Amino acid sequence: MKQKPITNQNLKSFQNKLLIWYKESHRKLPWRNAENSYHIWVSEVMLQQTQVETVRQYYDKFIQKFPTVTVLAKADLQEVLKIWEGMGYYSRARNLHRAAKIVVEKMGGEVPADFYQFRKLPGVGSYIAAAVQSIAFHQPYAVVDGNVKRVLARLLAINTPVNDAKSSRVFQDKASKMLDLTNPGMFNQALMELGALVCKPQNPFCQRCPVTQFCKTFKTTSTDKFPVRHRRRPIPQYHIAVGVVYKNGKTLITKRKEKGLLGGLWEFPGGKIKNGETAQQACIREIKEEVNLEVEVLSHLTQVKHAYTHFKIVMEVFRCRYVSGRIKLNGAVDYRWIKFTEIEKYPFPKANHKFIPLLQK
Ligand code: SF4
C-alpha cells in the first residue's frame, strides 16, 4: 500500500478509515451507549486517570448509587468517597460532587451544553470538557489524552516530548486540525481506542492498524522512537510508621483534610520516620504529635508497600495500646473510635486496605 502522510486532501479518507475501524472493533463498555450527558461526564472523570478495566468495576456501581446529577448533588461527600474508594485521585470525586451541586443549584440541573460554561465547573479541565461536549453534545472539540498523544506522535512523527510543558498546545493543535467535524465525539473515541488497542505503548500492532498508510513513523520503521519523552526524575520513596491504637475494644481512626492528597478519607494515625529514629519510635512520636495520645507499641503487624503517581511509600504498621491523654487533633479534621465491624462504613486509602484484612482476622 502506498504511504502518504495526512494532508488536507486525504484527511477525509483518514477519518473514514478510522471511523469504520472503530465501529467494527471498539470495546463494548458500559458507558459507550450512554446518551445521558451526566453519565458520560462521570465516565470521563473516572477514565481520566484510571485504566478502563478498573473503571468498569466502579462505573455501574456509581451510576446505580447516584443515577442523576441531582441525586449526586444531594449525597453526602462521604458516601461518594466510599463508592470511589480504591480508585485513587480522590480530588476527582470531591470535584465531581461540588460540580454536581453547582449544576443543580445554579444551572437548572442540566449539564451545560456549552464548552466554556462546563469548563468553569470544579475538576473540569480541557480533556473532560472536550470529551463530554463532543460525545454528549456533538460539539467540535478535540480530545487529547495520553493515548491520543502517542498516536499523533507516531502518525505525524512529532518530536515535541509528550511530557514537555508545551506539548499540550502542540498536540491539541494537531488533534483539532484532524478532528472530524461531522462526528467529533465518535472520532475522538476512535483515536483514543486506536491508542488503547492497536497503537500500544510498546510494540504497536501496525499490521492491524487501519491508518498505517498515513503513518510517518511506520513508513520510516521508527515507531519505537515515538513518542519522544524527557527522561523522568526518579520517584522518591518515603518510609512511614502507622499505629492501630486500641482502647476498650475500639480503634482510633482520623479523617484527612478535604483538600490535598487523599483528602476526606479516613486513616490510622502515623507519619514519616525521621533520620536516626526507629519505626516504632516514629509511630509513638507521630501519634503524640497528630492526636496527642500516649501509646505503647504491642507488636509489628506488617509492612505495606504502595506506589502513588509521584512517590512510593513503605509503611510499617504497628498495633498499639492507648495509655493516656485526651485527643487533640493536629492536621486531621475529625476522629472516631470505632469497632472493626464498622470499618466498612468509612472510605480509606488503598494502602490501608492492604493491611485492614489482617486486623479483621
Ligand atoms: Fe501506530 Fe503503527 Fe498505526 Fe502508526 S501504523 S498509528 S505506529 S499502530
Side-chain angles (χ1 to χ4, degrees):
M1 196 179 297
K2 209 164 157 231
Q3 289 295 134
K4 39 190 175 179
I6 301 168
T7 60
N8 287 343
Q9 286 69 41
N10 65 16
L11 179 60
K12 197 73 213 159
S13 158
F14 165 81
Q15 292 166 340
N16 287 343
K17 281 189 192 305
L18 185 63
L19 287 173
I20 290 168
W21 169 83
Y22 178 73
K23 284 179 197 159
E24 287 168 356
S25 313
H26 71 263
R27 291 165 292 180
K28 308 284 178 272
L29 300 169
W31 51 88
R32 282 261 159 84
N33 296 326
E35 288 183 358
N36 179 318
S37 52
Y38 160 69
H39 294 183
I40 293 169
W41 179 15
V42 170
S43 71
E44 291 301 336
V45 172
M46 290 182 169
L47 287 164
Q48 197 181 17
Q49 275 138 329
T50 305
Q51 302 282 338
V52 165
E53 287 313 313
T54 309
V55 172
R56 269 181 196 269
Q57 299 160 32
Y58 284 85
Y59 173 80
D60 283 340
K61 226 170 31 165
F62 193 95
I63 295 297
Q64 267 169 25
K65 180 93 180 166
F66 311 113
T68 66
V69 71
T70 310
V71 175
L72 178 61
K74 284 187 186 153
D76 188 279
L77 176 62
Q78 288 292 297
E79 286 179 83
V80 180
L81 290 172
K82 186 67 197 166
I83 293 280
W84 207 273
E85 187 183 35
M87 194 159 43
Y89 297 99
Y90 296 91
S91 60
R92 292 180 298 175
R94 295 194 305 271
N95 282 332
L96 187 57
H97 184 238
R98 274 173 57 214
K101 283 181 187 290
I102 295 171
V103 167
V104 169
E105 287 163 17
K106 302 195 174 149
M107 297 175 166
E110 298 287 339
V111 177
D114 176 279
F115 183 91
Y116 297 98
Q117 283 293 318
F118 186 56
R119 180 83 172 69
K120 284 185 197 157
L121 290 169
V124 178
S126 32
Y127 166 83
I128 300 277
V132 173
Q133 293 297 317
S134 66
I135 298 168
F137 303 118
H138 314 291
Q139 305 260 15
Y141 294 99
V143 168
V144 177
D145 70 350
N147 280 329
V148 170
K149 277 189 177 180
R150 185 172 61 255
V151 173
L152 294 184
R154 288 174 177 162
L155 267 175
L156 307 173
I158 298 173
N159 281 311
T160 309
V162 285
N163 53 349
D164 189 281
K166 61 176 186 260
S167 78
S168 297
R169 200 166 36 79
V170 172
F171 284 90
Q172 189 69 52
D173 184 49
K174 300 285 184 199
S176 301
K177 287 185 177 141
M178 201 178 265
L179 186 66
D180 182 344
L181 300 178
T182 55
N183 215 342
M186 192 182 286
F187 182 84
N188 280 330
Q189 293 182 84
L191 213 48
M192 290 190 276
E193 195 76 338
L194 187 73
L197 299 183
V198 179
C199 196
K200 289 179 160 279
Q202 310 296 330
N203 306 321
F205 300 125
C206 299
Q207 303 308 333
R208 283 198 231 153
C209 178
V211 290
T212 309
Q213 68 189 94
F214 302 96
C215 181
K216 282 191 178 176
T217 63
F218 177 71
K219 187 180 172 192
T220 57
T221 62
S222 58
T223 54
D224 58 336
K225 304 210 170 38
F226 292 85
V228 176
R229 267 177 208 288
H230 290 307
R231 193 188 284 256
R232 284 201 187 121
R233 286 202 204 119
I235 293 181
Q237 178 169 288
Y238 302 115
H239 198 185
I240 65 176
V242 160
V244 181
V245 182
Y246 295 93
K247 180 186 171 194
N248 300 331
K250 292 189 172 178
T251 303
L252 179 65
I253 58 172
T254 55
K255 187 179 176 190
R256 295 176 69 94
K257 284 181 198 144
E258 286 211 347
K259 287 207 169 138
L261 181 75
L262 310 173
L265 299 194
W266 294 80
E267 63 183 5
F268 298 91
K272 283 184 198 160
I273 302 169
K274 291 182 178 170
N275 279 344
E277 196 179 43
T278 65
Q280 188 162 332
Q281 288 165 339
C283 177
I284 293 170
R285 175 185 54 74
E286 281 287 339
I287 291 170
K288 177 69 184 163
E289 285 175 8
E290 279 195 6
V291 290
N292 193 42
L293 296 187
E294 307 283 346
V295 299
E296 173 195 3
V297 168
L298 299 173
S299 62
H300 181 248
L301 179 72
T302 188
Q303 183 187 74
V304 164
K305 293 182 179 173
H306 192 71
Y308 294 97
T309 315
H310 301 297
F311 63 93
K312 294 178 185 171
I313 57 167
V314 176
M315 187 194 277
E316 308 296 343
V317 187
F318 294 95
R319 288 181 195 270
C320 303
R321 185 177 69 82
Y322 164 84
V323 176
S324 63
R326 289 183 62 159
I327 298 225
K328 209 159 95 194
L329 297 177
N330 178 17
V333 293
D334 201 357
Y335 74 95
R336 297 275 188 282
W337 287 100
I338 59 161
K339 290 186 186 152
F340 263 110
T341 47
E342 297 169 318
I343 208 157
E344 287 300 319
K345 283 200 256 165
Y346 297 88
F348 282 87
K350 212 168 181 177
N352 284 221
H353 277 285
K354 290 184 175 172
F355 65 81
I356 285 174
L358 292 177
L359 295 169
Q360 286 167 325
K361 275 183 197 164

